[in-house]
């Protein structure tokens, strides 16, 4: 993480820019600043962690699109040290496909002097054991656009063409003000920075509460990538962000439309299967020692309420 002179949290977004595209072609959308790799079923392994909101996006989209037999998944445990995420959920602490203990090994296999943080999600080329990309927004984008020939027949249209322009605007606001907004609160380096971050976050959450009073999903009656991107923050809100990150004006459960919407999404297997509240709590409260030096993980909140009827049909 980094801070501006004002104490404002600034996320490092300098990721490996490679893309996986159909036949290794130049993609129709987005940057092409790195290498292009060909779509090839069975070749790549998505390394993720259910504790991480950015990685959970890719797990949800992979399952929504039916790519489970096309792109394998390696799951890291909920905590990591300064070096790397680790495969401590696997027998012997070794990923059974890649044969490595730390995700760092895949990064260093390609970039021996890799200077930046080892992040999830990351897509790894199985034959070489080398990382391909960790650019999380483009990973899910390309799972939809570039792997379409391998989607299940009834896969949802996560990027409807007629909604694309508005959806881009919505996702940009969700990312800057909500997904990243909670982190600006939690890692603020001054009271002034925290106050400003808090106000920005709740302005956006009020906007979403109002928007969802008029439609089932963010873009109407259609589930889209925008919903996946918002979901990962909502799933962590009461368990982590409300207290740990001091985003405490209200709980998610106290915002009727956002709470009903979140339970509506949780009722879908792709969302609930890839959400582990205990791993989420363990990650934030143990890893963020600067915020929680005791590393005590809270027992609450009551998670059974996620199973209650959402009433948004």
């Amino acid at each position: 993480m980094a801070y501006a002179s004002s104490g404002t949290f600034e996320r490092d977004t300098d990721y490996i820019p490679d893309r996986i595209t159909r036949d290794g072609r130049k993609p129709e959308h987005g940057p092409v600043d790195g290498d292009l790799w060909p779509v090839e079923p069975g070749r790549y392994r998505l390394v993720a962690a259910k504790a991480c909101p950015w990685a959970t996006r890719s797990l949800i989209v992979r399952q929504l699109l039916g790519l489970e037999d096309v792109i394998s998944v390696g799951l890291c445990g909920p905590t990591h040290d300064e070096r790397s995420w680790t495969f401590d959920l696997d027998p012997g602490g070794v990923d059974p496909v890649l044969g490595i203990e730390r995700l760092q090994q895949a990064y260093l296999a390609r970039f021996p002097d890799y200077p930046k943080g080892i992040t999830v999600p990351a897509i790894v080329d199985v034959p070489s054991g080398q990382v391909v990309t960790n650019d999380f927004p483009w990973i899910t984008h390309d799972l939809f656009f570039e792997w379409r020939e391998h989607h299940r027949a009834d896969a949802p249209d996560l990027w409807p063409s007629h909604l694309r322009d508005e959806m881009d605007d919505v996702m940009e606001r969700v990312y800057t003000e909500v997904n990243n907004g909670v982190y600006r609160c939690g890692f603020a380096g001054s009271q002034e920075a925290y106050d400003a971050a808090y106000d920005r976050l709740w302005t956006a959450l009020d906007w979403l509460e109002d928007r969802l009073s008029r439609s089932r999903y963010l873009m109407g009656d259609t589930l889209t990538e925008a919903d996946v991107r918002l979901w990962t923050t909502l799933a962590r809100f009461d368990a982590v962000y409300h207290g740990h990150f001091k985003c405490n004006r209200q709980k998610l459960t106290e915002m009727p439309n956002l709470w009903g919407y979140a339970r509506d999404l949780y009722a879908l297997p792709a969302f609930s299967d890839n959400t582990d509240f205990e791993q989420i709590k363990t990650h934030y409260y143990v890893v963020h020692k600067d915020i929680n030096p005791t590393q005590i993980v809270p027992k609450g909140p009551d998670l059974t309420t996620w199973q209650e009827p959402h009433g948004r049909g």
Side-chain angles (χ1 to χ4, degrees):
M1 71 189 72
Y3 294 92
S5 58
S6 63
T8 302
F9 167 74
E10 295 184 351
R11 181 173 299 281
D12 182 356
T13 57
D14 185 16
Y15 300 106
I16 301 169
D18 290 19
R19 307 272 299 274
I20 300 174
T21 64
R22 190 169 63 253
D23 301 321
R25 68 188 180 102
K26 182 178 179 180
E28 297 172 1
H29 304 287
V32 187
D33 299 325
D35 295 336
L36 297 175
W37 300 65
V39 164
E40 188 176 322
R43 175 173 176 176
Y44 303 102
R45 188 160 177 82
L46 171 64
V47 178
K50 291 184 179 181
C52 172
W54 319 104
T56 303
R57 286 185 185 184
S58 59
L59 293 172
I60 292 171
V61 168
R62 169 182 172 269
Q63 187 166 336
L64 284 172
L65 299 178
L67 294 172
E68 296 96 323
D69 295 330
V70 179
I71 303 171
S72 67
V73 158
L75 291 176
C76 298
T79 62
H80 59 78
D81 57 22
E82 292 79 5
R83 290 173 57 196
S84 179
W85 292 84
T86 56
F87 295 98
D88 47 299
L89 300 178
D90 291 307
V94 176
D95 180 89
V97 172
L98 300 174
I100 57 178
E101 297 178 347
R102 292 177 172 271
L103 178 56
Q104 182 187 47
Q105 293 169 259
Y107 279 71
L108 297 181
R110 184 166 178 211
F111 305 106
D113 299 317
Y114 190 74
K116 304 181 71 62
I118 307 301
T119 62
V120 290
I123 293 185
V124 178
D125 176 47
V126 174
S128 67
Q130 297 181 355
V131 67
V132 174
T133 181
N134 62 344
D135 198 344
F136 66 88
W138 292 105
I139 287 176
T140 53
H141 175 281
D142 292 343
L143 287 179
F144 179 78
F145 284 100
E146 303 299 333
W147 293 79
R148 296 183 82 153
E149 293 178 3
H150 306 285
H151 293 180
R152 60 182 172 84
D154 60 344
D157 182 1
L158 297 179
W159 294 78
S161 58
H162 67 289
L163 298 174
R164 181 68 189 272
D165 289 343
E166 182 186 3
M167 188 170 136
D168 283 343
D169 292 340
V170 169
M171 291 194 300
E172 178 66 18
R173 188 170 182 183
V174 166
Y175 170 71
T176 60
E177 305 304 299
V178 180
N179 298 148
N180 206 40
V182 293
Y183 283 83
R184 273 197 303 272
C185 291
F187 290 109
S190 70
Q191 186 68 50
E192 293 76 14
Y194 166 75
D195 290 346
Y198 180 95
D199 291 341
R200 281 182 64 177
L201 171 66
W202 285 103
T203 295
L205 289 173
D206 286 340
W207 164 68
L208 289 165
E209 176 73 4
D210 177 68
R211 185 180 183 94
L212 290 166
S213 72
R214 300 186 298 273
S215 63
R216 182 173 184 179
Y217 302 114
L218 284 179
M219 304 308 301
D221 294 328
T222 301
L223 178 72
T224 68
E225 170 92 7
D227 299 298
V228 177
R229 296 187 177 197
L230 175 58
W231 157 259
T232 58
T233 298
L234 299 183
R236 289 156 179 77
F237 200 86
D238 287 3
V240 175
Y241 302 144
H242 180 271
H244 186 57
F245 278 1
K246 308 179 185 70
C247 304
N248 60 355
R249 192 192 80 180
Q250 291 168 271
K251 295 178 180 177
L252 176 65
T253 55
E254 297 166 347
M255 304 189 76
N257 297 315
L258 277 165
W259 176 225
Y261 163 81
R263 281 176 291 153
D264 192 2
L265 295 179
Y266 187 68
L268 301 174
F271 290 82
S272 55
D273 290 352
N274 294 298
T275 301
D276 188 313
F277 292 110
E278 292 307 315
Q279 286 196 36
I280 288 168
K281 291 195 298 182
T282 298
H283 170 72
Y284 283 90
Y285 285 100
V286 172
V287 172
H288 296 161
K289 291 185 286 186
D290 49 344
I291 300 177
N292 185 41
T294 65
Q295 298 180 289
I296 294 172
V297 180
K299 294 182 71 173
D302 179 11
L303 300 174
T304 61
T305 55
W306 281 95
Q307 307 289 345
E308 294 177 354
H310 53 76
R312 291 187 65 84

